[in-house]
Structure formats: C-alpha cells, structure tokens
Amino acid sequence: MSLESVSLWVLALGGVVSALSMLVRRASGHGVPAFLGLWSCVSGCLIGLCGACAGLRDGDGLSSLFQLPVYVVGCCAAVHAYGYLRGHAEGREGAFWLFFNGMLASMVWVTAASGFLEFLVAWELMGAMSFALVAFEYRSKDSAGASWGYLLACQAGGALLMVMHAMEGGTGAVALAAVVVGVLGFGLKIGLPGLHTWLPEAHPAAPAPVSAVMSGAMIALGFYGVLTQVPLPSAGPGGWRLVAWLLAVCGTVVMVPAVALALAQNNLKRLLAYSSVENMGVVALGLGLGLYGHCCGETLMGVAGIAGASLHLLNHALLKGTLFLGAGSVLRATGTLELDSMGGLLRRLPQTGALFGASAVSLSGLPPFNGFIGEFLIYYAAFLGIRHGAAGSCATAGDLAFLALCVLAVLMLALTGGLAAAAYARAIGGAFLGEPRTAAAASAREVAPCMRAAMWVLSALSLTVMVSSPFLCRALMPPVLSALGLPSSASEVTQVSCLLSRVALVSGALLLVTALVCVARRCLPHGAETPVRPTWDCGYARPDARMEYTSTALVQPLMDYFAPLLRLHRRTHPAEGLFPEHGSVGLHTEDLANALLWRPLHRLTWRVADVVHRLQSGYLHLYVLVMVIALLALLAWGWLDGMSLSSRGGMVK
Amino acid sequence: MFSEILYVIFLALDLTLLSSSRLLHCIRLVALQGLLIGLMPLADAVLRSELRPSMALMAMVSIVVKAVLLPRLLSRAMRRAQVNRELEPLAGYSVSTLAALAMVALSFVMVRSLPLSEYTTHPLSVPVSLITMLTGLFLIIARRKALTQALGFLVFENGITVFGIGMTLENSFIVELGILLDVLALVFIMGIAVFHINREFAHIDTDRLNHLGDWSAQEPELKTEQDEEE
C-alpha cells in the first residue's frame, strides 16, 4: 500500500469519523469533531507529502507535482480552520471536516486516477465536496447565488469532459475539436478568460481555509487535467501545438483584465480571487510557451516555460494560501471583508499584517521574493520565443503569429506585474495602514495562535522555495518532463537551474542584507525604548478616519485607464444646500464576461425555458402525447434505417 | 389458422374499443382481450402439442386477472362514480376510427422493414401488438374520464403482452407475472382514486385536474409572480 493511498484513507476516514462524532455528541460542541477532523487531516497530509516527495524521485512526476500544493496548503488550511471555525460553526464542525477532508482526498484521487472514468468520478466528487464547503455558511446573503453558480460551473465542466470523451478516437478535425472541448472543460476550473466568473463569487462566500485550498491547489488541477486527460495522441503532432496555442493565448488574454478587475474590488477575497485568475493566466502562458517550445524544437524555451509554470504554480499555492488565510484572520478580527471599512490593522494584527504584506509583495512578482522566480522564467521563455522567431526561421504564418504572441505576452506580463502591485497596494493600504475607519476595525485583536501558525508555516515555505529554487527546478523538471512524454533534455535543465541559482543568490543576498540592516537598526540605540507614535497626520490638525483616502480612491486614477474594460460607472450624490449633511461618490464596475457572455446566455435560457414551460401545463393527455410522438419518431427512425440498410444490401447483391 | 383467427379478433376488438362510448361496453371489450391473451399461447402450444404445466398456469393466472378481476374492479369503480358514458372525448368517435385505420396502415407498413422478422412466431403478432399499444396510448390521450384512461393503460399493457407472446422470449413467465402484478396494483389504485376524485370534484375528468397544481401555466399569473419576486 503506497503512502498516497494511506493518506487518502486517513483523510476520508477521519472526515467520516469526525462527522459521526458530531452526530453522536451533538451537545459537546466544538471539541471532539474538530479535534478528530484536524488531526486526521494534518496526519493524512503529512503522510501524503512524504509520498509525493518519494513520487517525485521514482514515480509519476506530474501527479506528484500537483499533489504537493494539495498537501501543503491543505495541512496549513486545516490548522487555520481549527481557529477559524471556533465559535462560528454553529455545531456543524463535523460536517465541515467531512467535506474538507473529502475535498482533499478527492483532489489526491484526481491526481492518482488511472483511467478516464475514475478520473471523472474523482473530478465530480471534488466539485461536489467543494460545493458543499462553498455553501457552508449558507445563512449569509451571497452564499446561495455563489454556491449555485459554482455548482453550475462544475456541472458544465463535467459535461464538457464527457463530450470530450465521446469525441475521443476521432480523426482529423474531430480530434482537434475534442482537444478544444477538453481545454474548455478544464478551463472552467482554471478560470480561462470568460470562464472565470464563478471564482470571484465562490471565494468570498466560502470559509477562508476552503478558499485557500481551492485557489491554491484545486484550480491548478485543471492544468493537470489538460496535460493528462485531453486526448492529445489521437490529434497527432497538431494536438500539442493546438494546446500550446490555446493556453498561451488564453493566458495572455486573461491576465490584464483579471488584474484590472482585482484592482477594482473592494471585497478583500474578491480581490484575491481575481488575482488567482490572473496567476492561473500566467501559469497557462508559461505552459503554452513551454509546450510550443518543445513542438518547434526550441528545447531551452520549452524547459524554461514548463519550469516557470511549475514553479509559479507552487509559489502561487503557497502565497495565495497565505493571503486567503490572512483574509480569513482579518474577517474574524474585524467581522468584515470590505476594505473601506478596515484600516489600521497592522498595529492591531502585527503578525497577520506582516505576513499578508510580505506574501502580497511576493505575489506581485517583485524581485527579492519567490513570486518573481516563476514569472522570471516565463519572461525568459517568451524572450527565447522572440529570438527564435526573429532568427529568421519564420517560414510559416504560424511562426510569425507566435512571434507576435510572444511580444504581446511580454508586454502583458509586465503590465500585469505592475497592476498586481497596485492591487495589493490597495489591499494593504486599505486594510492594514492608516487609521481604522470603523469601530469594529478599531477594536480588532490579533487572532488565535493556530491561525497565525498556519500563515507562518506557509511563509517560511515560500522563503525556502525562493532560496532552493535551483535545486527544486533540478528535482522537479526531469520527472515532469518524462511524465509529459517529452525528452529529458538534461543540459537545458542545468542551464535553467544555473540561471535560477544566480537569481536566488542575488535575492538571498538582498534579503540577508535587509535583515542585517534591520537587526543593526534594532541594536543601535542600545537600551532606548522605541516610542510608539500616532500615524502621520499629513499636516492636518485633528485628522479623522473620514479624511483618509479610501482604498477605492487610491486606485481610481488607474481604474480610469481601464474604464471600458471594467465597465466603470460613477454614481455621484453631490452635497446640497448650505449645510450639507450627505454626499457620496461611488465607483461601480462589472465583469466584462458577465455582461457580454453570461447575462445574455442566462436571458436566452430563460426565454427557451419559458417556451418549454408551456408544455408543462398539467394535462396528462399532453404529456402522454409528447411521449407517444417521441416513441413514434424513434420507430420511424428505425424504419428509415431499416429501409436504407435493405436498399444498401440490395445494391451489394 | 387458429391463432390467425385469434389475432384478427384481437384487432377487431381494438377497433371497436376506439369507436364505442359506453364505459361498461369498453370494460367488457378489454376483458375479452384479456381472455384472448390467455388463450393465445395455450392454443399455440396445444396445436404444436407441447403444452407445459407452467404455461397452463400462466394462462390461468392471466385469464383470472385480466378477464375477471380487473374488469370487476373497474366496473365497480364505474358504478360508484356513477358514470356511464364518455360524453365529450377530446377526439370524436369518427376521428378515432379514422385514426385507428391510420394506425393499422402505419403498423403494417412499418413492421415490414423492422429487423424483427426472424424472431417472431407469427407474421401478424408484431403489427397487432403495435396497433394495440397505439390504441391504448390513443385512449389515454384522447379521452377525458379517468376510467377510460385506466382502460387505455390496460390495453397498452395487453399490446406489450402480445408482443412478448409473438417473440417467445426466454423466461417470459416471470416477466409476465411481474407485469401482471404491476397492472393489478395500478388498477387497484386507479379504482380507489377514481372514487375519491369523484367524491371531491363530482367528476372524473382528468383534464380539469390541472387546477390542483401550485401554479398554473396561464400567462397573467406568471407575470404577477415574477413581479412579486422583483
């Protein structure tokens, strides 16, 4: 019995036992179910982590790569959830742990499934479990809509996968169409452009640890599906090229709108959700570049792209895990997720604030942190693609188009990095800096130790990944490449990891110097107490929280640039009269995919349903008539089929 | 020759059923169909002199249930609901007769090209069973009274049985018993339901039962519901 299956069983049984203990000892409240759920989850994840590390050495590299975030984020999120749920679960801890453990187990199962049918069962189970968790706080206002939207997205994705499977084995155009359908089906989970709209709804509704797992590990599994389940062999060499194109184009297209929407969100978790869409776009771009590089013989570009995507996947899991857990801590401390009703939390939640800030900076892709590494490699791959195109081998229109795509990708990636930094500046500025805007924010206290510990562990792992990225690249790449059926290309892997070691060296040195300076600064005024002073008041005599820039005001100039993309409209209620009491300005944005795709589709569905609804009149006669017509049609079909068969047989004779 | 006569009588019963309005008469026709269904395999076996006890038992059960028990139940329900005639059928009797002719034509034409002929014992069995099934469905669709619809269901089931007899399916004994049990339960429930429907509404017209739903498909009411939601 492998470690993987041991962890699967521990997770599943732990969840069930926890739920049962809730039923048995309803009166005991928090204690028993939470304890059982937490420890089964943590031990299952740790066992599985050992298995995944062993699997990287001598097993299926790809599934081990995708299991790593599940175990790491799952374990830390479970520890966080123990504190997060305390006093807020209304006696339903057992149910939470049942679904949470079940979600982790089904995610592991997805990566371990052998055939398509098993994969599909695991995939749907994962969707169902996470749906239950998204709907866990079902009494809140937005929960119903968000969870139904999520369920619909899951079901639609599953349906597309079945269509893909039905089209498998076709040749030519059918095989290529199967590839496209498969990418769309998994794209619903990943959040490819236009298919991402469930993310910003589901994440704010779900409990924070669940958001952390979903964002860090689950949506990434869509890439696993694209790489393993899409029927590429029947599509021939064109299949890989098509997937590469689709991923690269989708990644390039989705990044900037997603990050612009992140910028516009006032809800902290919605902001993080849009940022997840953007980061998945970055991963998709990296994978697309890597696969294309392998298709056209540019092995270095291929290795750099795939390595960049893999590292960014891991980094995103760690960082977004920290950020969502931080958002959960903030929610528990202040009772709100609206940035404009927080403020000044860094002084009240110093550890949570510091960890959130560090992770946010890192995820913006700024150099000394680990979020930079993956993006750096993807830049590198894109530049290699440009060089490949510019070297004069642009024989076909496709090569020329890919050159243009690479140039565009570099520009978009740069723009995305800057905008992500702005979005996180908004989040940190609105939530942690300045003065508290509400009484709830002013009276916030630092959260429970276990919630902080989970964030500390994830942040420490981020730092580890940053420093050890060259080794990680050298360990990850050969199994991943062989699992993808690509040549192992050892010299290119060495080249990429040498590049990474230089980056890691510089970044490490920078962090070390910064740390030394901080320590020296702390030691210098020996013995003197550092006085705690009020926040700088910008020269106002009696500053008030109402005089602060709101977080929306902070990014308003940037939002104006992207007004058409955000469908920005301003609602102004000017102050009137000589002694005005009320006046307000609000900026409202809307997701373009909702406005252009989903709302019209929704309206069309209603119209069709209205017509079909007339059949449901309550007349038994009508119902039977409809059935008889259907039966007669089938009979006629059989009749015509028989006629054509007999006529063909006659011709053969 | 003998079974051919039986099939033709069966067909004639279908046609008569569609053109008669008296409920008691219809019930008797269906009872007669049940009797014929019991006799058909029996006659077949006697003629070929390979009668088995299980087959005889099956025929007995079938005749008792279909020709005696079910008609009794239905005529009792009819008497208690005090209805005698199907007065305003959704499709009139001349239309019904024309439809019956169309069904006969359709079935005979279709069966010729259905890939079944190698399994059937008798060339008439499949078309007659198709016609009987269509007749049953037609009764359900085109008649108002709950009783006639129950009859339609019975006729439909008779058609299935004729099909089974014609195809001489393996282990048909158990399957037929199961179907028989189903039908028996259904007619029991239907008999009780007809009585209760009549007591509550003073009629047994199923097309007026849709007022029982929580909502109605009529347009204005839908709109007010939507307005309230908004």
Side-chain angles (χ1 to χ4, degrees):
Chain A
M1 206 166 170
S2 67
L3 287 175
E4 186 183 84
S5 47
V6 172
S7 92
L8 247 170
W9 281 109
V10 169
L11 283 172
L13 289 180
V16 172
V17 169
S18 166
L20 286 180
S21 74
M22 175 188 77
L23 292 181
V24 172
R25 305 188 52 186
R26 191 133 227 184
S28 72
H30 191 72
V32 179
F35 182 81
L36 282 172
L38 173 67
W39 285 111
S40 63
C41 189
V42 168
S43 51
C45 284
L46 291 180
I47 294 169
L49 194 60
C50 297
C53 289
L56 269 183
R57 215 178 46 237
D58 47 25
D60 183 1
L62 208 55
S63 55
S64 301
L65 170 69
F66 280 91
Q67 276 171 12
L68 283 176
V70 177
Y71 294 130
V72 172
V73 180
C75 182
C76 293
V79 175
H80 187 270
Y82 185 76
Y84 183 86
L85 285 181
R86 182 170 279 256
H88 288 86
E90 302 160 0
R92 291 183 291 137
E93 285 91 356
F96 177 86
W97 290 106
L98 172 68
F99 291 124
F100 191 76
N101 285 7
M103 177 173 75
L104 292 182
S106 53
M107 280 156 78
V108 175
W109 192 17
V110 162
T111 59
S114 52
F116 178 77
L117 196 67
E118 191 184 340
F119 176 86
L120 196 66
V121 170
W123 183 259
E124 293 287 325
L125 190 67
M126 179 177 87
M129 292 287 171
S130 49
F131 161 71
L133 286 170
V134 170
F136 186 71
E137 286 165 1
Y138 63 97
R139 290 214 176 93
S140 76
K141 195 177 53 177
D142 308 323
S143 177
S147 47
W148 282 119
Y150 177 56
L151 188 67
L152 277 182
C154 286
Q155 296 301 309
L160 283 176
L161 295 190
M162 284 175 209
V163 170
M164 173 194 88
H165 189 61
M167 289 161 82
E168 205 173 328
T171 49
V174 178
L176 291 182
V179 171
V180 174
V181 170
V183 170
L184 283 182
F186 288 116
L188 267 166
K189 196 62 101 188
I190 303 171
L192 291 184
L195 307 175
H196 65 272
T197 44
W198 64 268
L199 273 139
E201 304 300 326
H203 279 304
V210 178
S211 310
V213 174
M214 280 171 68
S215 173
M218 185 192 286
I219 56 177
L221 285 179
F223 288 111
Y224 178 79
V226 169
L227 292 176
T228 58
Q229 301 298 326
V230 171
L232 289 169
S234 58
W240 279 111
R241 202 171 277 253
L242 181 65
V243 167
W245 264 104
L246 279 174
L247 287 178
V249 168
C250 287
T252 312
V253 168
V254 80
M255 282 189 294
V256 170
V259 78
L261 279 162
L263 195 69
Q265 300 309 318
N266 191 30
N267 183 313
L268 183 54
K269 280 168 92 179
R270 276 176 84 92
L271 188 152
L272 295 177
Y274 272 117
S275 159
S276 289
V277 177
E278 170 244 316
N279 280 296
M280 285 302 119
V282 172
V283 174
L285 174 65
L287 261 184
L289 289 174
L291 293 178
Y292 193 84
H294 277 290
C295 285
C296 66
E298 279 280 316
T299 322
L300 184 58
M301 174 187 168
V303 172
I306 293 177
S310 314
L311 284 175
H312 197 67
L313 209 70
L314 292 181
N315 286 328
H316 173 253
L318 296 172
L319 296 171
K320 195 48 75 62
T322 320
L323 288 175
F324 266 118
L325 296 186
S329 302
V330 166
L331 175 66
R332 281 294 174 256
T334 64
T336 180
L337 281 171
E338 299 297 317
L339 287 173
D340 283 342
S341 22
M342 296 176 191
L345 292 181
L346 188 59
R347 189 163 286 183
R348 290 163 182 81
L349 292 81
Q351 295 184 24
T352 307
L355 294 174
F356 187 96
S359 303
V361 171
S362 177
L363 200 55
S364 315
L366 296 181
F369 292 101
N370 64 332
F372 171 69
I373 295 167
E375 291 199 17
F376 172 72
L377 282 183
I378 294 168
Y379 273 118
Y380 184 58
F383 278 118
L384 285 174
I386 294 174
R387 200 182 65 178
H388 168 73
S393 57
C394 279
T396 61
D399 276 353
L400 203 64
F402 202 80
L403 173 64
L405 182 66
C406 285
V407 174
L408 196 66
V410 169
L411 294 177
M412 290 294 160
L413 210 53
L415 188 57
T416 305
L419 287 175
Y424 284 117
R426 172 185 188 169
I428 297 170
F432 293 102
L433 304 182
E435 287 293 317
R437 296 186 180 86
T438 55
S443 62
R445 292 273 165 276
E446 184 62 282
V447 291
C450 63
M451 293 163 85
R452 274 174 282 153
M455 289 177 72
W456 274 111
V457 170
L458 282 177
S459 300
L461 283 172
S462 303
L463 202 65
T464 319
V465 167
M466 199 279 292
V467 177
S468 66
S469 58
F471 309 106
L472 207 60
C473 172
R474 212 167 292 171
L476 276 179
M477 284 321 285
V480 169
L481 285 176
S482 72
L484 283 173
L486 299 171
S488 59
S489 40
S491 68
E492 278 83 1
V493 173
T494 321
Q495 216 170 329
V496 168
S497 61
C498 280
L499 197 68
L500 275 183
S501 66
R502 256 176 279 165
V503 175
L505 204 66
V506 173
S507 311
L510 230 140
L511 279 180
L512 206 66
V513 168
T514 316
L516 281 178
V517 167
C518 285
V519 170
R521 173 73 187 77
R522 181 74 51 100
C523 296
L524 222 59
H526 214 63
E529 287 274 310
T530 321
V532 177
R533 298 212 168 80
T535 311
W536 185 52
D537 55 8
C538 303
Y540 286 106
R542 288 176 59 84
D544 188 325
R546 292 197 314 173
M547 296 176 189
E548 282 181 289
Y549 278 110
T550 63
S551 70
T552 316
L554 192 67
V555 294
Q556 180 260 328
L558 274 174
M559 279 160 75
D560 276 349
Y561 272 115
F562 293 98
L565 210 60
L566 300 171
R567 293 173 77 90
L568 191 69
H569 48 99
R570 201 178 294 244
R571 277 191 207 135
T572 319
H573 299 287
E576 283 175 359
L578 287 177
F579 300 99
E581 287 188 342
H582 299 293
S584 66
V585 180
L587 285 178
H588 297 273
T589 58
E590 195 189 6
D591 200 325
L592 210 59
N594 267 335
L596 293 185
L597 180 64
W598 296 113
R599 189 121 9 87
L601 202 64
H602 185 241
R603 240 177 276 140
L604 183 73
T605 316
W606 268 111
R607 215 167 297 152
V608 171
D610 240 20
V611 173
V612 175
H613 199 214
R614 275 185 211 147
L615 278 181
Q616 200 183 11
S617 55
Y619 290 108
L620 179 71
H621 313 83
L622 196 61
Y623 298 162
V624 179
L625 184 65
V626 170
M627 279 194 284
V628 169
I629 288 171
L631 283 175
L632 282 181
L634 281 177
L635 207 60
W637 184 26
W639 180 41
L640 291 176
D641 230 31
M643 292 240 297
S644 69
L645 267 182
S646 62
S647 71
R648 226 179 300 154
M651 276 166 73
V652 169
K653 275 171 199 166
Chain B
M1 185 63 197
F2 185 62
S3 50
E4 247 161 57
I5 291 172
L6 287 185
Y7 278 121
V8 170
I9 295 175
F10 210 88
L11 187 58
L13 284 177
D14 282 340
L15 297 180
T16 328
L17 201 58
L18 278 178
S19 58
S20 65
S21 69
R22 280 178 56 219
L23 287 180
L24 197 61
H25 186 56
C26 288
I27 291 172
R28 284 189 189 134
L29 289 175
V30 174
L32 203 54
Q33 267 195 348
L35 184 68
L36 284 182
I37 281 179
L39 288 179
M40 261 180 210
L42 217 55
D44 217 38
V46 169
L47 284 182
R48 288 197 213 144
S49 63
E50 49 187 24
L51 185 66
R52 274 170 303 171
S54 71
M55 204 177 265
L57 185 71
M58 180 66 219
M60 290 278 287
V61 173
S62 177
I63 287 172
V64 167
V65 172
K66 283 189 174 164
V68 182
L69 199 57
L70 294 183
R72 278 257 169 120
L73 276 169
L74 284 174
S75 57
R76 187 157 148 259
M78 191 198 79
R79 249 179 283 118
R80 288 173 74 178
Q82 295 174 330
V83 283
N84 294 322
R85 278 171 184 278
E86 175 83 42
L87 281 179
E88 293 169 326
L90 293 175
Y93 293 104
S94 48
V95 174
S96 300
T97 317
L98 285 178
L101 290 177
M103 282 187 255
V104 172
L106 190 73
S107 302
F108 274 97
V109 171
M110 264 191 179
V111 161
R112 192 169 298 173
S113 54
L114 281 181
L116 296 171
S117 47
E118 46 195 295
Y119 306 105
T120 47
T121 51
H122 198 279
L124 272 180
S125 66
V126 177
V128 167
S129 76
L130 264 181
I131 291 164
T132 314
M133 283 188 240
L134 287 175
T135 306
L137 289 172
F138 192 88
L139 281 179
I140 296 176
I141 294 168
R143 301 287 187 262
R144 274 173 208 265
K145 302 283 183 221
L147 259 177
T148 334
Q149 287 181 337
L151 278 179
F153 183 81
L154 273 181
V155 174
F156 182 71
E157 198 276 329
N158 282 345
I160 294 174
T161 317
V162 172
F163 192 79
I165 292 167
M167 304 295 277
T168 52
L169 299 171
E170 299 265 328
N171 289 329
S172 62
F173 182 63
I174 295 172
V175 177
E176 301 242 332
L177 270 186
I179 293 175
L180 213 57
L181 201 68
D182 257 10
V183 174
L184 194 65
L186 178 108
V187 174
F188 260 119
I189 294 167
M190 201 68 195
I192 297 164
V194 163
F195 173 66
H196 281 281
I197 292 169
N198 190 48
R199 206 178 57 186
E200 292 296 324
F201 300 99
H203 65 78
I204 53 168
D205 293 356
T206 48
D207 62 328
R208 301 203 309 214
L209 288 182
N210 65 345
H211 300 304
L212 285 172
D214 287 340
W215 52 270
S216 165
Q218 275 132 30
E219 281 297 314
E221 281 184 33
L222 250 187
K223 270 185 186 151
T224 54
E225 265 179 31
Q226 270 177 358
D227 291 343
E228 275 167 22
E229 273 173 22
E230 279 163 12

